[in-house]
Amino acid sequence: MNQNFFSQNRVPVLYAGMAALLVIVGLGQGWSVSLSILNLCLISAIMSLGVNMQWGYAGLFNVGVMGFAALGGLAAVIVSMPPIHEAQAAGGSGILIGLLILVATIFASIFVWKQFNKNKKLAYWLIFAVIAVGYVLGRVLFLPAVEAIEAIDPSVSGYLGGLGLPIVLAWPVGGLFAAGAAFVIGKVALGLRSDYLAIATLGISEIILYFIKNEEWLTRGVKNVNGLPRPVPYEVDLQQAEWFQKLAADWGMAVTEASSIFVKLCYAGLFVAVIAILMYLSETALRSPWGRMMRAIRDNETAAAAMGKNVVKRHLAIFVIGSAVIGLAGAMLTTLDGQFTPVSYQPLRFTFLIWVMVIIGGSGNNWGAVLGGFFIWFFWIEAEPIGLWLIDTLTAFMDGDHPLRVHLMDSAAHMRLMTVGIVLLVALRYFPEGLIPERTARKA
Amino acid sequence: MTDIINALVVLANFLLVPALTYGSQLALGALGVTLVYGVLRFSNFAHGETMAFGTMITIFGTWGLQSMGVSAGPLPTALLALPLGIAGAVALSLLLDKTVYKYHRQRKASPVTFLIVSIGLMFFIGGLVRFVIGPGDQIFFDGTRFIFSARDFKKATGLDEGLALKMTQAVTIITAILVVAAMFWFLNKTRTGKSMRAFSDNENLALLSGINPDRVVLITWILVGALATIAGSLYGLDKSFKPFSYMQLLLPIFASAIVGGVGNPLGAIAGGYVIAFSEIAVTFAYKKVVAYVTTYEPESLVQLLGTDYKIAVSFIILVIVLIVRPTGIFSGKTL
């Protein structure tokens, strides 16, 4: 009976459990901490929705989540930061011409490829020539511009700045950036052996990060971009506003604490709105004929192709859409942080943790992916105190400066790496279906 | 005339020798990836970390030998500790195969599942290595540093430019040649090697002919563990041992294997050198060479791409090969 109740109401029960965990943290460590975790949980959930679209719907293995998320973050910088007019005057035109030459080179290469399709050898040489000319031209015009931009006030700016638009606009733009990168990768690697996509996405995500770290004229690189504008009010302004002081009094809290909670609630509201829209869209899509087609392709490509479905094109579409969702989440994350720090993008945190979320949550099920995002993020944050406490207790019998104890305490950070690996392996072996398994016609 | 010879010496010193060394390391790494692909049929993302693990054991062995006062004369002591490292990596590979891969193999899981499993193992081994030896740099090279240094070369030839050959470079290249030769002899001449190739070519036919699949898998992991340790130790001797850089080696290694044709050992070796040469040639500063060959002294470094984009080179080659010839240079699917 009990078993039956759980299996029938799996989704609400698990979500209630998750909410209870957040409430426990709220009561124990304070609501501000709990809300910070919640906000990052929401963003993680969106990323894992994106990965779930690629993996759960279509069986595409993307190990470049980090790169797409970083592109989203870049979008936040480019859209929202105020423009730096001196830099644009100094090098803007050079950069623009350089980019135009790049685009022209690409189109010329594609044109040559299409025109000389019959004579491949000639086509290769011509493309080589086109790229060489484009490279030399681009470099001659591009490099001086870059130097000019990076020379302007390098400690504060030294980059082009952004467009000065509201940062919420950056979210869809982040999606577009990621979609563009995904399109190129998908064009190359889809339709080949399935693991080529994994290797190609692994490569592109590393290269995107190298690009972001090194092209200082665009991103300030490792100097970071701080003080991104916010879509929600600032704590300081709230503390001064009369209506807010009254509200805080009603809540029975100090004004400073209330303002921090209020800001986090605003973020949470925005994120919940985004996730609700995405959930609605993806659930509708999954139930539609299109969703059935995607699952049919995933389960048996040959049969689906025999039914006249263009497998490669459908894969490309879903790969681009999923990556766009990841890019959107990346832009949201940078918005929440209020700064863009390229060094913080680590594959473990941005690619593989998201994968664990999808697999633990239940691949192929949107509710599962979102729950996985919440669940894994929660434990990711809380694991460090738990792990440190565990090592501390286990080695309590040793002296404070016993070498083994010191070594273990220092290595606690690497336990995360190992734990993610072990969780992934255990999940794949013992619960490959995840917490909320995919709904199939027979089970539903 | 001497200008041109000087230019060639610069190229040999900064491009040819380093690329041959790095290429040998990549080739050995790619050979391991290709073996796993050919026999077990998945892309092993844990290979870089297996290399790091084997190297770690080799380092411990080296330290042990050094503390006992054993040395290999002018050669690095690590070569004596190599068997220990190989034993460690083989033991780890076999243990993980038994506890992790075997289950999925029996269920005939898809290659993508294996790939995710290997990523899980990549984190597990990576965490283990960092846990035991720490994430920092370890230099475990000893013995003579140079076979001949740039100064000796200049004195001997009277040229302006020097050509140096480091001990690690010579050791790497010679070891790679020996290992590759042994590997091909094994695959082509011995009964076990032939059974491995048969298994890789057509699993069902091999099973019907009475080849024991468990034995093939066992031999494969032994070879993979040995290759990974040798490649990793040579890389560590030549540069330095740092767990993170082994994770970064994964992309060039995969690129080498794919460029050469996955599953083809000859291709893995060719791919390794192709990737190494292009990586170094594209990020090489040609300033000196240009100055020698022409009369004009360029102001810039005459570098095609910044050194920071080294990793991008292997990726770009990978993409080009995937577009133009997805099967790789030596189109091969079997050993």
Side-chain angles (χ1 to χ4, degrees), chain A residues 361-416:
Chain A
S363 41
N365 189 317
N366 293 318
W367 292 103
V370 169
L371 181 76
F374 271 79
F375 207 64
I376 297 298
W377 183 259
F378 182 84
F379 280 104
W380 178 253
I381 291 296
E382 295 289 323
E384 195 158 286
I386 296 174
L388 275 177
W389 172 82
L390 207 66
I391 291 180
D392 202 36
T393 329
L394 284 179
T395 57
F397 63 90
M398 295 179 196
D399 295 336
D401 48 359
H402 190 283
L404 183 64
R405 182 181 155 106
V406 173
H407 181 77
L408 282 175
M409 291 299 257
D410 287 345
S411 320
H414 311 304
M415 294 299 274
R416 271 191 170 173

Short mmCIF file of all heavy atoms in Angstrom, two decimals, chain A residues 361-416:
data_model
loop_
_atom_site.label_atom_id
_atom_site.label_comp_id
_atom_site.label_asym_id
_atom_site.label_seq_id
_atom_site.Cartn_x
_atom_site.Cartn_y
_atom_site.Cartn_z
N GLY A 361 18.36 12.38 -11.85
CA GLY A 361 16.98 12.83 -11.87
C GLY A 361 16.10 11.91 -12.70
O GLY A 361 14.97 11.63 -12.33
N GLY A 362 16.61 11.43 -13.79
CA GLY A 362 15.81 10.58 -14.67
C GLY A 362 15.86 11.11 -16.07
O GLY A 362 15.14 12.07 -16.39
N SER A 363 16.71 10.53 -16.92
CA SER A 363 16.85 11.08 -18.26
C SER A 363 15.60 10.76 -19.06
O SER A 363 15.01 9.70 -18.93
CB SER A 363 18.09 10.53 -18.94
OG SER A 363 18.24 9.17 -18.66
N GLY A 364 15.19 11.72 -19.87
CA GLY A 364 13.98 11.54 -20.68
C GLY A 364 12.75 12.10 -19.99
O GLY A 364 11.70 12.19 -20.59
N ASN A 365 12.90 12.48 -18.72
CA ASN A 365 11.75 13.03 -18.01
C ASN A 365 12.11 14.44 -17.52
O ASN A 365 13.04 14.62 -16.75
CB ASN A 365 11.42 12.13 -16.82
CG ASN A 365 10.12 12.53 -16.15
OD1 ASN A 365 9.87 13.71 -15.95
ND2 ASN A 365 9.32 11.55 -15.83
N ASN A 366 11.35 15.44 -17.99
CA ASN A 366 11.68 16.83 -17.64
C ASN A 366 11.58 17.07 -16.15
O ASN A 366 12.42 17.75 -15.56
CB ASN A 366 10.75 17.78 -18.36
CG ASN A 366 10.99 17.76 -19.85
OD1 ASN A 366 12.14 17.75 -20.28
ND2 ASN A 366 9.93 17.72 -20.62
N TRP A 367 10.54 16.50 -15.53
CA TRP A 367 10.39 16.69 -14.08
C TRP A 367 11.57 16.08 -13.36
O TRP A 367 12.06 16.62 -12.38
CB TRP A 367 9.08 16.06 -13.59
CG TRP A 367 7.88 16.79 -14.11
CD1 TRP A 367 7.08 16.40 -15.13
CD2 TRP A 367 7.40 18.05 -13.65
NE1 TRP A 367 6.11 17.34 -15.34
CE2 TRP A 367 6.28 18.36 -14.44
CE3 TRP A 367 7.80 18.94 -12.66
CZ2 TRP A 367 5.55 19.53 -14.27
CZ3 TRP A 367 7.07 20.10 -12.48
CH2 TRP A 367 5.96 20.39 -13.28
N GLY A 368 12.02 14.94 -13.88
CA GLY A 368 13.17 14.29 -13.28
C GLY A 368 14.41 15.14 -13.40
O GLY A 368 15.18 15.29 -12.45
N ALA A 369 14.62 15.72 -14.61
CA ALA A 369 15.82 16.52 -14.82
C ALA A 369 15.83 17.71 -13.88
O ALA A 369 16.86 18.05 -13.29
CB ALA A 369 15.90 16.97 -16.27
N VAL A 370 14.68 18.36 -13.72
CA VAL A 370 14.61 19.53 -12.85
C VAL A 370 14.87 19.10 -11.40
O VAL A 370 15.66 19.74 -10.68
CB VAL A 370 13.23 20.21 -12.98
CG1 VAL A 370 13.06 21.26 -11.90
CG2 VAL A 370 13.12 20.85 -14.35
N LEU A 371 14.25 18.00 -11.00
CA LEU A 371 14.47 17.53 -9.63
C LEU A 371 15.94 17.19 -9.42
O LEU A 371 16.53 17.54 -8.39
CB LEU A 371 13.60 16.30 -9.35
CG LEU A 371 13.76 15.77 -7.93
CD1 LEU A 371 13.02 16.65 -6.96
CD2 LEU A 371 13.29 14.34 -7.82
N GLY A 372 16.54 16.53 -10.43
CA GLY A 372 17.96 16.20 -10.34
C GLY A 372 18.79 17.45 -10.16
O GLY A 372 19.73 17.48 -9.35
N GLY A 373 18.43 18.51 -10.91
CA GLY A 373 19.16 19.77 -10.77
C GLY A 373 19.11 20.29 -9.35
O GLY A 373 20.12 20.69 -8.78
N PHE A 374 17.93 20.25 -8.75
CA PHE A 374 17.77 20.72 -7.36
C PHE A 374 18.58 19.87 -6.40
O PHE A 374 19.33 20.35 -5.58
CB PHE A 374 16.29 20.63 -6.97
CG PHE A 374 15.52 21.86 -7.29
CD1 PHE A 374 15.09 22.10 -8.58
CD2 PHE A 374 15.23 22.79 -6.31
CE1 PHE A 374 14.39 23.24 -8.89
CE2 PHE A 374 14.52 23.94 -6.60
CZ PHE A 374 14.09 24.16 -7.89
N PHE A 375 18.36 18.58 -6.56
CA PHE A 375 18.87 17.61 -5.61
C PHE A 375 20.40 17.61 -5.58
O PHE A 375 21.02 17.73 -4.55
CB PHE A 375 18.36 16.25 -6.09
CG PHE A 375 18.20 15.26 -5.01
CD1 PHE A 375 17.29 15.48 -4.00
CD2 PHE A 375 18.95 14.10 -5.01
CE1 PHE A 375 17.13 14.55 -3.00
CE2 PHE A 375 18.80 13.17 -4.02
CZ PHE A 375 17.90 13.39 -3.01
N ILE A 376 20.99 17.49 -6.78
CA ILE A 376 22.44 17.37 -6.86
C ILE A 376 23.10 18.68 -6.46
O ILE A 376 24.11 18.69 -5.76
CB ILE A 376 22.86 16.94 -8.27
CG1 ILE A 376 22.30 15.57 -8.60
CG2 ILE A 376 24.37 16.93 -8.40
CD1 ILE A 376 22.78 14.46 -7.72
N TRP A 377 22.49 19.81 -6.87
CA TRP A 377 23.10 21.07 -6.48
C TRP A 377 23.09 21.21 -4.95
O TRP A 377 24.07 21.62 -4.35
CB TRP A 377 22.42 22.27 -7.14
CG TRP A 377 23.15 23.50 -6.73
CD1 TRP A 377 22.78 24.40 -5.79
CD2 TRP A 377 24.43 23.92 -7.19
NE1 TRP A 377 23.74 25.35 -5.62
CE2 TRP A 377 24.78 25.07 -6.48
CE3 TRP A 377 25.33 23.42 -8.14
CZ2 TRP A 377 25.97 25.74 -6.68
CZ3 TRP A 377 26.52 24.08 -8.33
CH2 TRP A 377 26.82 25.23 -7.61
N PHE A 378 21.96 20.84 -4.37
CA PHE A 378 21.84 20.93 -2.92
C PHE A 378 22.97 20.15 -2.25
O PHE A 378 23.65 20.65 -1.36
CB PHE A 378 20.47 20.38 -2.50
CG PHE A 378 20.23 20.48 -1.03
CD1 PHE A 378 19.75 21.65 -0.48
CD2 PHE A 378 20.48 19.40 -0.20
CE1 PHE A 378 19.53 21.75 0.88
CE2 PHE A 378 20.25 19.49 1.15
CZ PHE A 378 19.78 20.67 1.69
N PHE A 379 23.19 18.91 -2.72
CA PHE A 379 24.21 18.11 -2.06
C PHE A 379 25.61 18.56 -2.42
O PHE A 379 26.53 18.44 -1.62
CB PHE A 379 24.00 16.62 -2.37
CG PHE A 379 22.93 16.05 -1.50
CD1 PHE A 379 21.67 15.80 -2.00
CD2 PHE A 379 23.17 15.84 -0.15
CE1 PHE A 379 20.68 15.33 -1.18
CE2 PHE A 379 22.18 15.36 0.67
CZ PHE A 379 20.93 15.10 0.16
N TRP A 380 25.76 19.10 -3.62
CA TRP A 380 27.06 19.65 -4.03
C TRP A 380 27.49 20.74 -3.05
O TRP A 380 28.63 20.81 -2.62
CB TRP A 380 26.92 20.20 -5.44
CG TRP A 380 28.14 20.83 -6.02
CD1 TRP A 380 28.34 22.16 -6.22
CD2 TRP A 380 29.30 20.18 -6.55
NE1 TRP A 380 29.54 22.37 -6.81
CE2 TRP A 380 30.16 21.17 -7.02
CE3 TRP A 380 29.69 18.84 -6.64
CZ2 TRP A 380 31.39 20.89 -7.60
CZ3 TRP A 380 30.93 18.56 -7.21
CH2 TRP A 380 31.74 19.58 -7.68
N ILE A 381 26.53 21.61 -2.68
CA ILE A 381 26.83 22.70 -1.76
C ILE A 381 27.04 22.18 -0.35
O ILE A 381 27.95 22.57 0.36
CB ILE A 381 25.67 23.73 -1.78
CG1 ILE A 381 25.65 24.45 -3.12
CG2 ILE A 381 25.82 24.73 -0.66
CD1 ILE A 381 26.88 25.27 -3.38
N GLU A 382 26.16 21.28 0.04
CA GLU A 382 26.21 20.83 1.42
C GLU A 382 27.25 19.74 1.64
O GLU A 382 27.53 19.37 2.77
CB GLU A 382 24.82 20.34 1.87
CG GLU A 382 23.78 21.46 1.91
CD GLU A 382 24.00 22.44 3.05
OE1 GLU A 382 24.42 22.02 4.13
OE2 GLU A 382 23.78 23.65 2.85
N ALA A 383 27.82 19.19 0.53
CA ALA A 383 28.76 18.07 0.68
C ALA A 383 30.04 18.51 1.36
O ALA A 383 30.63 17.75 2.12
CB ALA A 383 29.10 17.47 -0.68
N GLU A 384 30.46 19.76 1.10
CA GLU A 384 31.73 20.19 1.66
C GLU A 384 31.70 20.21 3.19
O GLU A 384 32.54 19.60 3.83
CB GLU A 384 32.13 21.54 1.09
CG GLU A 384 33.58 21.83 1.36
CD GLU A 384 34.15 22.84 0.41
OE1 GLU A 384 34.38 22.47 -0.75
OE2 GLU A 384 34.32 23.99 0.80
N PRO A 385 30.70 20.89 3.78
CA PRO A 385 30.64 20.82 5.25
C PRO A 385 30.51 19.39 5.75
O PRO A 385 31.19 19.00 6.72
CB PRO A 385 29.41 21.67 5.62
CG PRO A 385 28.76 22.08 4.36
CD PRO A 385 29.72 21.85 3.25
N ILE A 386 29.67 18.58 5.04
CA ILE A 386 29.49 17.21 5.50
C ILE A 386 30.81 16.44 5.42
O ILE A 386 31.21 15.76 6.37
CB ILE A 386 28.40 16.49 4.66
CG1 ILE A 386 27.05 17.18 4.86
CG2 ILE A 386 28.30 15.02 5.04
CD1 ILE A 386 25.95 16.63 3.99
N GLY A 387 31.51 16.58 4.25
CA GLY A 387 32.76 15.84 4.04
C GLY A 387 33.81 16.24 5.06
O GLY A 387 34.48 15.38 5.65
N LEU A 388 33.94 17.56 5.29
CA LEU A 388 34.94 18.01 6.25
C LEU A 388 34.64 17.47 7.64
O LEU A 388 35.52 17.01 8.36
CB LEU A 388 34.97 19.54 6.28
CG LEU A 388 35.84 20.19 5.22
CD1 LEU A 388 35.73 21.70 5.30
CD2 LEU A 388 37.28 19.75 5.37
N TRP A 389 33.36 17.53 7.98
CA TRP A 389 32.94 17.04 9.28
C TRP A 389 33.27 15.56 9.41
O TRP A 389 33.77 15.10 10.44
CB TRP A 389 31.44 17.28 9.45
CG TRP A 389 30.86 16.66 10.67
CD1 TRP A 389 30.89 17.16 11.94
CD2 TRP A 389 30.19 15.41 10.73
NE1 TRP A 389 30.28 16.28 12.79
CE2 TRP A 389 29.83 15.21 12.08
CE3 TRP A 389 29.85 14.44 9.79
CZ2 TRP A 389 29.14 14.08 12.50
CZ3 TRP A 389 29.17 13.31 10.20
CH2 TRP A 389 28.83 13.13 11.55
N LEU A 390 33.02 14.81 8.32
CA LEU A 390 33.23 13.37 8.32
C LEU A 390 34.70 13.05 8.56
O LEU A 390 35.05 12.24 9.43
CB LEU A 390 32.78 12.80 6.97
CG LEU A 390 32.32 11.35 6.96
CD1 LEU A 390 31.05 11.23 7.77
CD2 LEU A 390 32.07 10.89 5.54
N ILE A 391 35.59 13.74 7.77
CA ILE A 391 37.01 13.47 7.91
C ILE A 391 37.47 13.88 9.31
O ILE A 391 38.23 13.18 9.97
CB ILE A 391 37.80 14.23 6.83
CG1 ILE A 391 37.51 13.62 5.47
CG2 ILE A 391 39.29 14.18 7.11
CD1 ILE A 391 38.22 14.26 4.34
N ASP A 392 36.94 15.00 9.76
CA ASP A 392 37.31 15.49 11.08
C ASP A 392 36.95 14.46 12.16
O ASP A 392 37.75 14.16 13.05
CB ASP A 392 36.56 16.81 11.33
CG ASP A 392 37.26 17.63 12.38
OD1 ASP A 392 38.50 17.59 12.41
OD2 ASP A 392 36.57 18.29 13.17
N THR A 393 35.74 13.90 12.04
CA THR A 393 35.31 12.93 13.04
C THR A 393 36.12 11.65 12.94
O THR A 393 36.52 11.07 13.95
CB THR A 393 33.82 12.59 12.83
OG1 THR A 393 33.18 13.71 12.30
CG2 THR A 393 33.16 12.17 14.11
N LEU A 394 36.34 11.18 11.70
CA LEU A 394 37.02 9.91 11.51
C LEU A 394 38.46 9.98 11.99
O LEU A 394 39.01 8.98 12.45
CB LEU A 394 37.00 9.52 10.03
CG LEU A 394 35.66 8.99 9.53
CD1 LEU A 394 35.75 8.66 8.06
CD2 LEU A 394 35.24 7.75 10.31
N THR A 395 39.08 11.17 11.86
CA THR A 395 40.49 11.26 12.25
C THR A 395 40.64 11.93 13.62
O THR A 395 41.71 12.36 13.99
CB THR A 395 41.29 12.07 11.22
OG1 THR A 395 40.67 13.36 11.11
CG2 THR A 395 41.30 11.41 9.88
N ALA A 396 39.52 12.00 14.36
CA ALA A 396 39.55 12.73 15.63
C ALA A 396 40.53 12.13 16.62
O ALA A 396 41.08 12.83 17.46
CB ALA A 396 38.15 12.76 16.23
N PHE A 397 40.78 10.80 16.47
CA PHE A 397 41.68 10.16 17.43
C PHE A 397 43.14 10.53 17.21
O PHE A 397 43.98 10.31 18.05
CB PHE A 397 41.50 8.64 17.38
CG PHE A 397 41.88 8.04 16.06
CD1 PHE A 397 43.18 7.62 15.83
CD2 PHE A 397 40.94 7.92 15.05
CE1 PHE A 397 43.52 7.08 14.62
CE2 PHE A 397 41.29 7.38 13.83
CZ PHE A 397 42.59 6.95 13.61
N MET A 398 43.43 11.10 16.01
CA MET A 398 44.82 11.46 15.74
C MET A 398 45.12 12.84 16.32
O MET A 398 44.23 13.61 16.63
CB MET A 398 45.06 11.50 14.23
CG MET A 398 44.91 10.17 13.56
SD MET A 398 45.19 10.39 11.81
CE MET A 398 44.52 8.89 11.17
N ASP A 399 46.41 13.15 16.37
CA ASP A 399 46.81 14.49 16.81
C ASP A 399 46.39 15.50 15.75
O ASP A 399 46.21 15.16 14.58
CB ASP A 399 48.33 14.58 16.96
CG ASP A 399 48.82 13.68 18.07
OD1 ASP A 399 47.98 13.38 18.95
OD2 ASP A 399 49.99 13.27 18.03
N GLY A 400 46.24 16.74 16.20
CA GLY A 400 45.84 17.80 15.27
C GLY A 400 46.80 17.95 14.11
O GLY A 400 46.39 18.30 13.01
N ASP A 401 48.09 17.67 14.32
CA ASP A 401 49.05 17.88 13.24
C ASP A 401 49.65 16.57 12.74
O ASP A 401 50.74 16.54 12.19
CB ASP A 401 50.16 18.85 13.68
CG ASP A 401 50.73 18.45 15.04
OD1 ASP A 401 50.22 17.46 15.59
OD2 ASP A 401 51.66 19.13 15.51
N HIS A 402 48.92 15.46 12.97
CA HIS A 402 49.35 14.18 12.41
C HIS A 402 49.39 14.32 10.88
O HIS A 402 48.43 14.82 10.29
CB HIS A 402 48.35 13.10 12.83
CG HIS A 402 48.80 11.71 12.51
ND1 HIS A 402 48.75 11.21 11.25
CD2 HIS A 402 49.33 10.73 13.29
CE1 HIS A 402 49.22 9.97 11.26
NE2 HIS A 402 49.57 9.66 12.50
N PRO A 403 50.48 13.87 10.22
CA PRO A 403 50.57 14.11 8.78
C PRO A 403 49.39 13.55 7.99
O PRO A 403 48.89 14.19 7.07
CB PRO A 403 51.89 13.43 8.39
CG PRO A 403 52.38 12.72 9.60
CD PRO A 403 51.71 13.30 10.78
N LEU A 404 48.93 12.36 8.37
CA LEU A 404 47.84 11.76 7.62
C LEU A 404 46.58 12.61 7.72
O LEU A 404 45.88 12.87 6.75
CB LEU A 404 47.56 10.34 8.14
CG LEU A 404 46.48 9.59 7.36
CD1 LEU A 404 46.93 9.36 5.93
CD2 LEU A 404 46.15 8.27 8.02
N ARG A 405 46.32 13.10 8.93
CA ARG A 405 45.13 13.91 9.15
C ARG A 405 45.21 15.22 8.35
O ARG A 405 44.26 15.62 7.69
CB ARG A 405 45.01 14.22 10.64
CG ARG A 405 43.78 15.00 11.00
CD ARG A 405 43.77 15.27 12.50
NE ARG A 405 43.01 16.45 12.81
CZ ARG A 405 41.81 16.43 13.36
NH1 ARG A 405 41.26 15.27 13.67
NH2 ARG A 405 41.16 17.53 13.60
N VAL A 406 46.38 15.84 8.40
CA VAL A 406 46.56 17.09 7.66
C VAL A 406 46.36 16.83 6.17
O VAL A 406 45.65 17.56 5.48
CB VAL A 406 47.96 17.67 7.94
CG1 VAL A 406 48.22 18.86 7.04
CG2 VAL A 406 48.07 18.08 9.39
N HIS A 407 46.97 15.72 5.68
CA HIS A 407 46.86 15.38 4.27
C HIS A 407 45.39 15.17 3.88
O HIS A 407 44.93 15.68 2.88
CB HIS A 407 47.67 14.11 3.98
CG HIS A 407 47.64 13.69 2.55
ND1 HIS A 407 48.38 14.32 1.58
CD2 HIS A 407 46.93 12.73 1.91
CE1 HIS A 407 48.14 13.74 0.42
NE2 HIS A 407 47.27 12.78 0.58
N LEU A 408 44.67 14.45 4.73
CA LEU A 408 43.27 14.17 4.41
C LEU A 408 42.46 15.46 4.39
O LEU A 408 41.63 15.67 3.50
CB LEU A 408 42.68 13.20 5.45
CG LEU A 408 43.06 11.74 5.25
CD1 LEU A 408 42.53 10.89 6.39
CD2 LEU A 408 42.53 11.22 3.93
N MET A 409 42.71 16.34 5.38
CA MET A 409 41.95 17.58 5.41
C MET A 409 42.23 18.42 4.17
O MET A 409 41.33 19.02 3.59
CB MET A 409 42.32 18.40 6.66
CG MET A 409 41.85 17.78 7.96
SD MET A 409 40.08 17.61 8.05
CE MET A 409 39.68 18.96 9.10
N ASP A 410 43.52 18.43 3.73
CA ASP A 410 43.87 19.20 2.55
C ASP A 410 43.25 18.62 1.30
O ASP A 410 42.92 19.34 0.35
CB ASP A 410 45.40 19.23 2.37
CG ASP A 410 46.04 20.14 3.40
OD1 ASP A 410 45.29 20.91 4.01
OD2 ASP A 410 47.26 20.06 3.59
N SER A 411 43.12 17.29 1.26
CA SER A 411 42.65 16.66 0.04
C SER A 411 41.13 16.59 -0.03
O SER A 411 40.60 16.04 -0.99
CB SER A 411 43.20 15.25 -0.08
OG SER A 411 44.51 15.20 0.34
N ALA A 412 40.47 17.14 0.97
CA ALA A 412 39.00 17.01 0.99
C ALA A 412 38.40 17.50 -0.32
O ALA A 412 37.41 16.95 -0.79
CB ALA A 412 38.43 17.77 2.17
N ALA A 413 39.02 18.54 -0.92
CA ALA A 413 38.46 19.09 -2.15
C ALA A 413 38.44 18.05 -3.27
O ALA A 413 37.52 18.03 -4.08
CB ALA A 413 39.27 20.30 -2.58
N HIS A 414 39.47 17.16 -3.29
CA HIS A 414 39.51 16.17 -4.36
C HIS A 414 38.47 15.09 -4.17
O HIS A 414 38.16 14.34 -5.08
CB HIS A 414 40.89 15.55 -4.46
CG HIS A 414 41.96 16.58 -4.47
ND1 HIS A 414 41.97 17.59 -5.40
CD2 HIS A 414 43.01 16.78 -3.66
CE1 HIS A 414 43.00 18.36 -5.15
NE2 HIS A 414 43.64 17.91 -4.11
N MET A 415 37.94 15.01 -2.93
CA MET A 415 36.90 14.02 -2.69
C MET A 415 35.70 14.29 -3.58
O MET A 415 35.01 13.38 -4.00
CB MET A 415 36.46 14.06 -1.22
CG MET A 415 37.53 13.62 -0.26
SD MET A 415 38.01 11.94 -0.57
CE MET A 415 36.77 11.09 0.39
N ARG A 416 35.48 15.57 -3.88
CA ARG A 416 34.35 15.91 -4.76
C ARG A 416 34.48 15.24 -6.11
O ARG A 416 33.54 14.67 -6.63
CB ARG A 416 34.33 17.42 -4.97
CG ARG A 416 33.54 18.14 -3.95
CD ARG A 416 33.38 19.54 -4.42
NE ARG A 416 32.43 20.22 -3.59
CZ ARG A 416 32.17 21.50 -3.66
NH1 ARG A 416 32.80 22.25 -4.54
NH2 ARG A 416 31.28 22.05 -2.89
#
